[in-house]
Amino acid sequence: MSQNVVTGPTFLAKLDASREAARVLATATAGQKDAALRAIADVVASSAERILPANDLDLANARENGLSAGMQDRLRLDAARLGALAEAVREVAALTDPIGQVVRGSTLPNGLKIAQVRVPFGVVGAIYEARPNVTIDIAALALKSGNAAVLRGGSAAQNTNAVLVELLQEAIAGVGLPADSVQTIDEFGRDGAAQLMRARGYVDVLIPRGSADLINTVVSQSTVPVIETGAGVVHIFLDESADESSAVDIVHNAKVQRPSVCNALETLLVHRAVAEQLLPPVLAALRASGVTIHGDEATRAIVADVVPATEEDWATEYMSLDLSVRVVDDLDAAMDHIRRYSTHHTESIITNNLARAERFLAEVDSAVVMVNASTRFTDGGEFGFGAEVGISTQKLHARGPMGLGELTSTKWVVRGTGHVRG
Amino acid sequence: MSQNVVTGPTFLAKLDASREAARVLATATAGQKDAALRAIADVVASSAERILPANDLDLANARENGLSAGMQDRLRLDAARLGALAEAVREVAALTDPIGQVVRGSTLPNGLKIAQVRVPFGVVGAIYEARPNVTIDIAALALKSGNAAVLRGGSAAQNTNAVLVELLQEAIAGVGLPADSVQTIDEFGRDGAAQLMRARGYVDVLIPRGSADLINTVVSQSTVPVIETGAGVVHIFLDESADESSAVDIVHNAKVQRPSVCNALETLLVHRAVAEQLLPPVLAALRASGVTIHGDEATRAIVADVVPATEEDWATEYMSLDLSVRVVDDLDAAMDHIRRYSTHHTESIITNNLARAERFLAEVDSAVVMVNASTRFTDGGEFGFGAEVGISTQKLHARGPMGLGELTSTKWVVRGTGHVRG
């Protein structure tokens, strides 16, 4: 049961207002939307005195409630972080508007002209954890792609988010677009999140962002279509023919460069024929950067002081300086392991054998498959999309890094001159 | 509770077998898949003596259970229908294979080569009603696009479907592809359908085909991503400037040419300024073809012997020779009505006014929007897709007529030469 007392508009009245806002946004020009985004950037950069007291309140509650240091850090805003957020919004404003792009089209044999055109989804719902930067981020991406956004942030960030949404609404209304283009439903508490997941007909798509638990809850409870962004139990396979220096560099980069993100390496698989040669230098480089190795028996026979890997380790997304390591008999055994434990995010093979590279690329069923590259390249920015909407691990609609285009639907426009079907 | 007694493999064992088959299909060549399709066409055309006795049994049960004449007709197979089904499968075999198509790709500034490539979903589930033709149809489309199919047909067609799936499996195995590429779960009854809807991780996408009730059940109960194909409460708006002969011809074609399908017209909206001029000839032509008119008060003031339209009529997909008719004040009132009652399938405006045509096309939020054309053109065959996978009324993944490409996902293939992220 929620203990929130709601005194403002009812839940459905808010969603109705989002739909109305979406109608206006659907035909807003890129110029109008970009003006709103620049106004948002300005207000975020200049409103520390309104934002930070609310954030301090959330941080005080977080300490009182014993939130972890990591969660407190993700919750914290300061002048520098607000500046970076504003800059990110300006970058979104500078991107090409996907709306109105003609995906394909033709003139049919009967003269009918058909065109498939990018349109906004309408209302995009987002459910996420206590990271107030996501509030600005999702609102900006939704607005750029002509969508109204309904936000349910983590309750630990509720005071911060309330102020941020006020600022967003002021900025948007200030350029003549509907204030309701961005709304929060935080005041409805957990009940609100549950209602949002069942708001089919009001919300066109739901994007959960956060832990695997959060995403699983949304996926299993939602009747609104969900874009699953995701957990990454990411693998690299060092093939028999792997180049040693590539192996050392790529594994180190994939694990160490930024261990807390979904495209970071979690499990290293090594071909038995080269395990004795490759594991010592690869693991030494990792350990020099503070990585804890969880290895199978074969790994522990080659390298000393390795923590025994448990069955659970193979399925774990550490998001920390930990790595599971397993020696496998061959490419097929590597792919069997990946099939069993992967979350189908990103897997890479390090090899100089063309046939095995092609088999890996063809047979591994993940959003991104790589040869001789660090898994850290699975990223909208790296792929040249300009914006980081998330990385989809589902197969419907969008798979892998998502750009603004993945926040749109399409419609078919058909132009006739009195055409009837024969 | 299901009363079915299952003696064969368990439900999950069957889905495991589908996944294994999907792995093989994912890398099967177009040549192999087309050979399987031609074998299916041959066996469907030549196996009347195996199929029709099972179909007779289903028909006898249908009569005993008091199924409507229409449902009995959809359930019935005969030599001519089997021949048409076989021919349709041959047409699918002749289409271009979508698998392996490169959707987009580039070389990044750092030299990394990225390409987004079409791949099968994996396992496609289908839940449909007692139309045995759908069994062959979905199996062929899934196979062509490299997907394994798990079928749950209506229980009234269970004996027919069992034989059809046996024949499909024999044909597929006969060309060396896995027999389990197509499976039925009809033996698990309603429990099987419920389990299929929750089989996330086993089934990649679920396609319901049939009544609005069936589709709503699947959409609300499924945790597997669903492609909603759909009900069509389809509208035509006769604008002030509509050409009279176009109005008569298009409305007649949209309502009468094939009233039982989702792109048939259900509600006609007429601009008040031309209602007296247009309604008499338009409705006279419809009545000459046996259409019953359900009209609002203004309509009934202009044309005699019109059934009063109820609130329910506006939301009804008749799929019969019935039509709701309403007089509206202007384009905005027409779009308000559409927003309230449409299922967002197809809407068309008949007009000679450019500004109003463009507003209608831009502002009406449906999968297909038309000007001066019959709504019957919303069709994969008419759009040149070659195959009729269904018409999606959702905004995620696919919207409007779906071709084979909409039965696929994509993956990103990344080729480096030792690339690490800086």
Side-chain angles (χ1 to χ4, degrees):
Chain A
M1 289 293 164
S2 167
Q3 296 173 10
N4 298 59
V5 176
V6 178
T7 54
T10 65
F11 187 79
L12 286 185
K14 280 199 130 175
L15 294 193
D16 273 331
S18 291
R19 285 223 76 79
E20 281 305 301
R23 279 180 58 201
V24 177
L25 289 177
T27 55
T29 63
Q32 291 174 298
K33 292 181 288 186
D34 292 345
L37 289 166
R38 287 189 300 267
I40 289 169
D42 289 345
V43 80
V44 167
S46 66
S47 301
E49 78 287 357
R50 278 176 69 186
I51 299 167
L52 298 187
N55 191 240
D56 285 339
L57 190 57
D58 284 331
L59 284 165
N61 290 336
R63 279 189 299 271
E64 196 169 305
N65 295 329
L67 260 68
S68 72
M71 287 177 77
Q72 289 188 43
D73 181 59
R74 287 192 284 276
L75 177 55
R76 181 174 294 110
L77 292 177
D78 56 28
R81 287 183 176 183
L82 290 177
L85 266 174
E87 188 47 38
V89 174
R90 284 201 185 89
E91 283 168 14
V92 171
L95 295 174
T96 302
D97 187 348
I99 300 307
Q101 285 176 354
V102 177
V103 178
R104 52 183 165 159
S106 63
T107 300
L108 301 181
N110 60 14
L112 212 54
K113 292 179 171 56
I114 69 172
Q116 188 181 25
V117 179
R118 284 214 179 282
V119 297
F121 277 124
V123 178
V124 172
I127 299 185
Y128 51 99
E129 289 163 346
R131 301 180 70 157
N133 60 312
V134 175
T135 303
I136 302 294
D137 188 32
I138 291 266
L141 293 166
L143 188 58
K144 178 78 189 190
S145 51
N147 293 294
V150 179
L151 308 175
R152 159 63 181 161
S155 54
Q158 191 164 342
N159 293 294
T160 311
N161 284 338
V163 173
L164 290 177
V165 170
E166 269 175 34
L167 293 170
L168 287 162
Q169 293 185 332
E170 288 168 22
I172 294 166
V175 302
L177 288 174
D180 291 330
S181 299
V182 177
Q183 293 196 92
T184 172
I185 54 157
D186 280 352
E187 72 266 33
F188 299 97
R190 277 166 183 252
D191 287 356
Q195 282 187 71
L196 190 65
M197 292 188 245
R198 314 286 299 181
R200 202 171 171 93
Y202 290 89
V203 177
D204 295 290
V205 62
L206 204 52
I207 303 178
R209 267 215 194 170
S211 68
D213 271 359
L214 173 91
I215 290 167
N216 284 336
T217 301
V218 174
V219 158
S220 63
Q221 295 186 12
S222 183
T223 60
V224 173
V226 173
I227 297 180
E228 187 178 353
T229 57
V233 176
V234 165
H235 296 76
I236 288 179
F237 171 52
L238 300 181
D239 180 40
E240 203 175 358
S241 64
D243 176 72
E244 182 174 320
S245 79
S246 274
V248 171
D249 292 348
I250 290 175
V251 171
H252 186 270
N253 183 259
K255 178 72 255 182
V256 172
Q257 198 225 9
R258 199 171 167 206
S260 64
V261 292
C262 62
N263 59 19
L265 177 66
E266 304 294 8
T267 299
L268 178 66
L269 302 169
V270 187
H271 195 295
R272 192 171 302 281
V274 289
E276 283 198 44
Q277 177 209 332
L278 292 183
L279 276 179
V282 166
L283 300 190
L286 292 169
R287 284 173 157 174
S289 296
V291 176
T292 301
I293 309 297
H294 305 249
D296 70 342
E297 213 176 301
T299 300
R300 299 201 310 278
I302 295 166
V303 178
D305 301 324
V306 165
V307 180
T310 63
E311 174 67 20
E312 207 188 333
D313 279 312
W314 308 124
T316 297
E317 186 185 23
Y318 295 113
M319 308 197 98
S320 61
L321 287 173
D322 291 83
L323 180 71
S324 305
V325 181
R326 182 174 217 168
V327 175
V328 294
D329 286 341
D330 54 18
L331 174 62
D332 283 297
M335 293 196 296
D336 280 345
H337 179 101
I338 289 170
R339 194 155 40 246
R340 182 151 173 203
Y341 296 106
S342 170
T343 54
H344 311 292
H345 185 295
T346 301
E347 333 293 342
S348 184
I349 182 173
I350 316 301
T351 186
N352 279 310
N353 181 291
L354 181 60
R356 284 197 287 272
E358 295 301 325
R359 272 198 67 201
F360 188 90
L361 296 175
E363 295 179 29
V364 171
D365 181 26
S366 295
V368 185
V369 288
M370 299 179 167
V371 56
N372 294 334
S374 167
T375 56
R376 289 277 296 117
F377 284 109
T378 296
D379 177 273
E382 292 292 324
F383 275 28
F385 297 166
E388 177 62 44
V389 179
I391 295 169
S392 165
T393 51
Q394 72 182 31
K395 293 185 178 176
L396 207 68
H397 183 71
R399 196 176 188 205
M402 293 189 288
L404 280 172
E406 278 68 42
L407 277 186
T408 68
S409 182
T410 58
K411 79 201 251 191
W412 286 94
V413 175
V414 177
R415 293 168 191 270
T417 54
H419 284 72
V420 296
R421 190 160 161 190
Chain B
M1 291 294 163
S2 167
Q3 295 173 11
N4 299 57
V5 176
V6 177
T7 53
T10 65
F11 187 79
L12 286 185
K14 279 199 131 176
L15 293 194
D16 274 330
S18 291
R19 284 222 77 79
E20 282 304 303
R23 278 180 57 201
V24 177
L25 288 177
T27 55
T29 63
Q32 291 174 297
K33 293 181 287 185
D34 292 345
L37 289 166
R38 288 190 299 268
I40 290 169
D42 289 345
V43 80
V44 167
S46 65
S47 302
E49 79 287 357
R50 278 176 68 185
I51 299 166
L52 298 186
N55 191 240
D56 285 341
L57 190 56
D58 283 331
L59 284 166
N61 290 336
R63 278 188 299 272
E64 196 169 306
N65 295 329
L67 260 67
S68 72
M71 288 178 75
Q72 289 188 44
D73 181 58
R74 288 193 284 275
L75 177 55
R76 180 173 295 111
L77 292 177
D78 56 28
R81 287 183 176 184
L82 290 176
L85 265 174
E87 188 48 37
V89 174
R90 284 200 185 91
E91 284 168 15
V92 171
L95 294 174
T96 303
D97 187 348
I99 300 307
Q101 285 176 354
V102 177
V103 177
R104 51 182 165 159
S106 63
T107 300
L108 301 181
N110 60 14
L112 213 54
K113 291 180 173 53
I114 68 172
Q116 188 182 25
V117 179
R118 285 212 178 284
V119 297
F121 278 124
V123 178
V124 172
I127 299 185
Y128 51 99
E129 288 163 344
R131 301 179 70 158
N133 60 312
V134 176
T135 302
I136 301 295
D137 189 30
I138 291 267
L141 293 167
L143 189 58
K144 178 78 189 189
S145 52
N147 293 294
V150 178
L151 307 175
R152 159 64 181 160
S155 54
Q158 192 164 341
N159 292 295
T160 311
N161 284 339
V163 172
L164 290 176
V165 170
E166 269 174 36
L167 292 170
L168 287 163
Q169 293 184 332
E170 288 168 21
I172 293 167
V175 301
L177 288 174
D180 292 330
S181 299
V182 177
Q183 293 196 92
T184 172
I185 54 157
D186 280 352
E187 72 267 32
F188 300 96
R190 276 165 184 255
D191 287 356
Q195 282 187 71
L196 189 65
M197 292 188 244
R198 314 286 300 181
R200 201 172 173 95
Y202 290 89
V203 177
D204 295 291
V205 62
L206 204 51
I207 303 178
R209 266 215 194 170
S211 69
D213 271 359
L214 173 91
I215 290 167
N216 284 337
T217 300
V218 173
V219 158
S220 63
Q221 295 186 11
S222 183
T223 59
V224 174
V226 173
I227 298 180
E228 187 178 353
T229 59
V233 177
V234 165
H235 297 76
I236 289 180
F237 171 52
L238 300 181
D239 180 40
E240 203 175 359
S241 64
D243 176 73
E244 181 174 319
S245 78
S246 274
V248 171
D249 292 348
I250 290 175
V251 170
H252 186 271
N253 183 258
K255 179 72 255 182
V256 172
Q257 198 224 8
R258 199 170 168 206
S260 64
V261 291
C262 62
N263 59 18
L265 177 66
E266 304 294 8
T267 299
L268 178 67
L269 303 169
V270 188
H271 195 296
R272 193 171 300 280
V274 289
E276 284 198 43
Q277 178 209 330
L278 292 184
L279 276 179
V282 167
L283 300 190
L286 292 169
R287 283 173 157 176
S289 295
V291 176
T292 301
I293 310 297
H294 306 248
D296 71 341
E297 214 176 299
T299 301
R300 300 201 310 278
I302 295 166
V303 178
D305 301 324
V306 166
V307 181
T310 63
E311 175 66 20
E312 205 187 333
D313 280 311
W314 308 124
T316 297
E317 186 185 24
Y318 296 113
M319 307 197 99
S320 61
L321 286 173
D322 291 83
L323 180 71
S324 305
V325 181
R326 181 174 218 168
V327 175
V328 294
D329 286 340
D330 53 18
L331 173 62
D332 284 295
M335 294 197 295
D336 281 345
H337 179 100
I338 290 170
R339 192 154 42 244
R340 181 151 175 201
Y341 297 105
S342 169
T343 53
H344 311 291
H345 185 294
T346 301
E347 332 293 341
S348 184
I349 182 173
I350 316 301
T351 187
N352 280 310
N353 181 292
L354 181 60
R356 283 197 288 272
E358 295 301 326
R359 271 198 68 201
F360 187 90
L361 296 176
E363 295 179 31
V364 171
D365 182 26
S366 295
V368 185
V369 288
M370 299 179 167
V371 56
N372 294 334
S374 167
T375 56
R376 289 276 297 118
F377 284 109
T378 296
D379 177 273
E382 292 292 323
F383 275 27
F385 297 166
E388 177 63 44
V389 180
I391 294 169
S392 165
T393 51
Q394 72 182 32
K395 292 184 178 177
L396 207 67
H397 183 71
R399 196 176 188 205
M402 293 189 287
L404 280 172
E406 278 69 41
L407 277 186
T408 68
S409 182
T410 58
K411 81 199 282 188
W412 285 94
V413 175
V414 177
R415 294 168 191 270
T417 54
H419 285 71
V420 296
R421 191 160 161 190

